[in-house]
C-alpha cells in the first residue's frame, strides 16, 4: 500500500477542531495523486496521453475524525481493474496505527478528446500493483433517490475555485455543500457519493434534501434539468 505522512492543519478543521469530511477526501485524492506521480503516470503523463481519471463513487467509513495538529498517515491501493473501471481503497490512521477511516472508491478513465470512458491501458495496470481489498462493508455503487419528499435548498453556482485540473467541479465540493445540511451535534459515521454527471463552470446546482431516517440524510445535487450531478448519502 502506498502511504504518505501528514499533520492535520488548522485550515482543515471545523469548529470542533476535527478534520472536515471534505478535507478527508482531499487527503485521499492527494494520496492517489502522489502515488501516480511517483510511478511516472501522473498529471503530465495523462495530459500527454489525453486521458484522466474521474470518480464514480465514494464509500467512506469514519471511525474517528482526527483533530488539529494530529499526525496521520494516509494510504491507498488499487484492488481491481475491469474494462473502463478501476477500484481503489483508501485508509487513514494515526502515527500509532489507530485506524481513523477506510474507504472504497470506483473510478473510470476518461478520453479527454472524445469525452468518453475508455478501456484502461495495460501499461497503467502494470504500473499500479493491486492488493487485496480492505476489510469493510462494501455497499452498492448506485444510490436510489426517493420519488418524492425532497426539499429544495439554496442553489449553488459553480465558480472557478470549485474546479479541478479537468475543469470540472471537484468531487469533494459536492460533499462540502452537502455537509452544510448536517444536523448540529451529529457525527458522520458513513458517507456514500454516487457521481452521475460532471458540472462545469457556471452550472447551477440545487441540492434537494431527503430525510430517509433519523440517522440517514440524502442530498440529490440537481442540475437545472432536474437530474442529479451527484447523490450524497450521509449516515449518522
Amino acid at each position: 500500500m502506498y502511504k504518505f505522512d501528514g499533520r492535520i492543519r488548522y485550515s482543515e478543521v471545523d469548529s470542533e477542531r476535527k478534520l472536515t469530511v471534505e478535507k478527508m477526501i482531499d487527503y485521499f485524492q492527494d494520496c492517489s495523486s502522489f502515488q501516480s506521480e511517483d510511478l511516472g503516470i501522473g498529471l503530465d503523463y495523462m495530459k500527454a496521453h489525453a486521458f484522466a481519471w474521474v470518480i464514480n463513487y465514494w464509500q467512506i467509513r469514519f471511525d474517528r475524525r482526527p483533530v488539529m495538529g494530529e499526525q496521520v498517515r494516509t494510504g491507498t491501493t488499487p484492488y481491481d481493474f475491469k474494462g473502463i473501471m478501476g477500484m481503489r481503497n483508501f485508509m487513514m490512521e494515526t502515527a500509532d496505527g489507530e485506524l481513523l477511516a477506510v474507504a472504497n472508491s470506483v473510478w473510470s478513465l476518461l478520453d479527454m478528446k472524445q469525452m468518453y470512458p475508455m478501456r484502461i491501458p495495460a501499461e497503467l495496470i502494470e504500473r499500479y500493483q493491486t492488493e487485496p481489498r480492505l476489510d469493510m462493508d462494501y455497499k452498492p455503487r448506485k444510490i436510489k433517490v426517493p420519488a418524492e419528499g425532497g426539499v429544495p435548498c439554496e442553489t449553488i453556482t459553480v465558480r472557478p475555485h470549485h474546479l479541478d485540473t479537468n475543469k470540472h467541479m471537484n468531487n469533494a465540493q459536492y460533499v462540502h455543500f452537502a455537509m452544510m445540511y448536517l444536523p448540529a451535534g451529529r457525527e458522520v459515521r458513513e458517507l456514500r457519493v454516487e457521481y452521475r454527471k460532471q458540472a462545469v463552470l457556471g452550472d447551477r446546482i440545487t441540492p434537494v434534501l431527503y430525510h430517509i431516517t433519523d440517522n440517514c440524510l440524502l442530498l440529490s445535487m440537481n442540475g437545472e434539468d432536474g437530474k442529479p450531478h451527484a447523490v450524497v448519502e450521509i449516515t449518522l
Side-chain angles (χ1 to χ4, degrees), residues 105-120:
S105 62
V106 179
W107 304 73
S108 58
L109 195 63
L110 188 67
D111 182 324
M112 297 300 289
K113 292 181 179 178
Q114 302 294 326
M115 296 306 293
Y116 197 80
M118 59 179 283
R119 190 171 185 86
I120 300 170

Side-chain angles (χ1 to χ4, degrees), residues 50-94:
F51 56 65
W53 289 105
V54 294
I55 191 160
N56 303 114
Y57 174 73
W58 276 115
Q59 179 190 351
I60 306 173
R61 187 194 77 210
F62 297 88
D63 294 344
R64 177 174 72 83
R65 287 190 292 143
V67 299
M68 201 281 288
E70 196 165 5
Q71 302 281 352
V72 295
R73 181 172 295 115
T74 307
T76 187
T77 184
Y79 64 84
D80 198 11
F81 294 98
K82 293 180 179 178
I84 64 171
M85 311 296 287
M87 280 61 78
R88 178 180 283 274
N89 279 140
F90 293 86
M91 53 77 72
M92 179 180 282
E93 63 186 6
T94 66

Side-chain angles (χ1 to χ4, degrees), residues 6 8 10 14 25-26 30 33 76 78 82-83 88 118 122 141 144 146 152-153 163 176 180 195 212-213:
I8 305 303
Y10 182 81
D14 59 18
I25 292 175
D26 286 344
D30 288 345
S33 296
T76 187
K82 293 180 179 178
R88 178 180 283 274
M118 59 179 283
R141 181 166 64 90
K144 184 178 180 180
C153 303
L163 304 180
H176 168 75
M180 294 169 57
Y195 298 93
I212 307 301
T213 68

Side-chain angles (χ1 to χ4, degrees), residues 203-234:
D203 281 351
R204 291 169 58 81
I205 300 172
T206 301
V208 179
L209 174 63
Y210 299 84
H211 291 273
I212 307 301
T213 68
D214 289 343
N215 295 318
C216 183
L217 305 176
L218 186 145
L219 287 113
S220 183
M221 314 296 281
N222 292 351
E224 294 183 80
D225 60 0
K227 297 179 180 180
H229 288 278
V231 181
V232 183
E233 181 190 80
I234 303 169

Side-chain angles (χ1 to χ4, degrees), residues 170-195:
N170 184 268
N171 71 85
Q173 293 293 331
Y174 296 95
V175 176
H176 168 75
F177 289 115
M179 293 303 296
M180 294 169 57
Y181 303 97
L182 185 71
R186 302 297 299 273
E187 188 70 32
V188 178
R189 299 302 174 191
E190 185 175 76
L191 176 76
R192 295 171 67 220
V193 190
E194 179 193 352
Y195 298 93

